[in-house]
Amino acid sequence: MNRATANTVPAIGWMLLEVLQRPDLLLRVREEVAPYISRDPSDPSQMVVDIPNLCSRPLIQSIYAEVLRFRSGTVINRVPTSSDFHIGGWHFKKGEQIIVSNYNTGRNQSVWNQGTFEDPHPVDEFWPESFIVYPDNPNSGPVLQQEAKKEQDATDSKPTFCLNGTAGSWIPYGGGTRMCPGRHFAKEEMIVTMAMFLTAFDIQLLTDNNSWIQPDLNYFMFGVMHPKGKIPARIRKREF
């Protein structure tokens, strides 16, 4: 598969699957994207998408970020170019390889918010609202550290998408000077494609309702993991 789409295509698939498996979430997503997708007056067969505003919506962004946290299985390689390199209590010699798995960093219980006793969200489960900060909920947001949450603008009165405190843990695009330069375009590509699919089609998954769709671990280390096995579905055109 072309490197430009090797991760975005399965990520879009997961965004659709995670939403479609949750009917209540599907309703919320359609409500959030509806103001930003319309018919082209000169050609009703075409969609017009307000990409900047669509891609700024908090729930849509949170689903995007959570898919990359939860469904990525990439390893990142780095080699120190100077001696006596120290990080996180580890010491590396010049030229030694450092390998980091974003599968593990995305499930680090000492970093990620796991909800509350009354509303738990373990790191090994998909949480659509993981990356949303609610002004009236001090337990919201992606991370445990309250310091990271304090960075949020105190004047915000609405729910906002937030990556504060996730540096070094949310690393689907790598990090440092070699971070993926196409990450901004990839984000828009994923969000817009998901929104257009859910607007244009009604999709009924014909899977076992008692179990969640699982990743194929044969794709571990190679980016966003593909869903395991075939996923039957009924798809029909939707009027909007």
Side-chain angles (χ1 to χ4, degrees):
M1 185 182 291
N2 189 296
R3 290 187 63 184
T5 58
N7 285 308
T8 55
V9 170
I12 292 166
W14 277 116
M15 290 172 71
L16 289 168
L17 291 173
E18 298 293 4
V19 172
L20 292 169
Q21 289 180 104
R22 299 166 173 83
D24 291 345
L25 180 61
L26 174 59
L27 293 175
R28 292 178 59 198
V29 168
R30 281 180 169 162
E31 181 179 356
E32 186 160 274
V33 307
Y36 310 108
I37 299 181
S38 59
R39 296 285 189 189
D40 185 342
S42 62
D43 184 358
S45 66
Q46 300 297 316
M47 288 185 180
V48 177
V49 182
D50 180 351
I51 295 177
N53 284 314
L54 172 65
C55 293
S56 68
R57 303 308 303 157
L59 178 60
I60 306 302
Q61 291 187 91
S62 183
I63 292 170
Y64 146 84
E66 178 70 348
V67 160
L68 295 184
R69 176 197 74 84
F70 189 54
R71 298 303 186 186
S72 290
T74 305
V75 290
I76 300 170
N77 293 12
R78 294 291 186 269
V79 177
T81 57
S82 60
S83 58
D84 300 323
F85 180 74
H86 301 270
I87 184 171
W90 294 85
H91 171 70
F92 297 92
K93 296 179 182 179
K94 181 178 180 179
E96 283 188 340
Q97 282 211 14
I98 303 172
I99 300 178
V100 179
S101 165
N102 74 347
Y103 183 92
N104 294 95
T105 61
R107 288 164 171 75
N108 189 338
Q109 295 185 15
S110 67
V111 172
W112 295 98
N113 184 6
Q114 294 146 69
T116 63
F117 180 79
E118 296 79 12
D119 184 26
H121 294 280
V123 293
D124 57 356
E125 292 182 4
F126 183 85
W127 183 11
E129 297 176 287
S130 174
F131 290 82
I132 300 178
V133 171
Y134 292 93
D136 58 349
N137 183 359
N139 296 311
S140 62
V143 295
L144 292 172
Q145 292 83 353
Q146 293 300 317
E147 290 76 13
K149 297 179 183 181
K150 289 176 183 177
E151 296 178 22
Q152 197 72 12
D153 189 342
T155 63
D156 286 341
S157 59
K158 297 180 180 179
T160 55
F161 173 71
C162 177
L163 285 173
N164 291 343
T166 66
S169 298
W170 189 80
I171 48 175
Y173 297 107
T177 58
R178 296 189 179 183
M179 184 180 293
C180 174
R183 61 191 181 277
H184 303 297
F185 175 79
K187 176 182 177 180
E188 292 185 349
E189 180 183 8
M190 293 180 216
I191 289 177
V192 170
T193 304
M194 181 195 72
M196 292 179 68
F197 256 93
L198 295 178
T199 300
F201 300 103
D202 278 320
I203 306 171
Q204 179 188 3
L205 299 179
L206 304 178
T207 54
D208 184 354
N209 293 330
N210 296 319
S211 60
W212 299 106
I213 296 170
Q214 298 299 316
D216 186 344
L217 296 180
N218 288 323
Y219 288 91
F220 181 74
M221 293 179 59
F222 298 108
V224 177
M225 295 175 287
H226 293 204
K228 188 175 183 179
K230 295 182 179 181
I231 303 171
R234 285 196 185 100
I235 303 177
R236 64 181 180 182
K237 187 175 180 180
R238 176 174 179 265
E239 295 299 328
F240 71 97

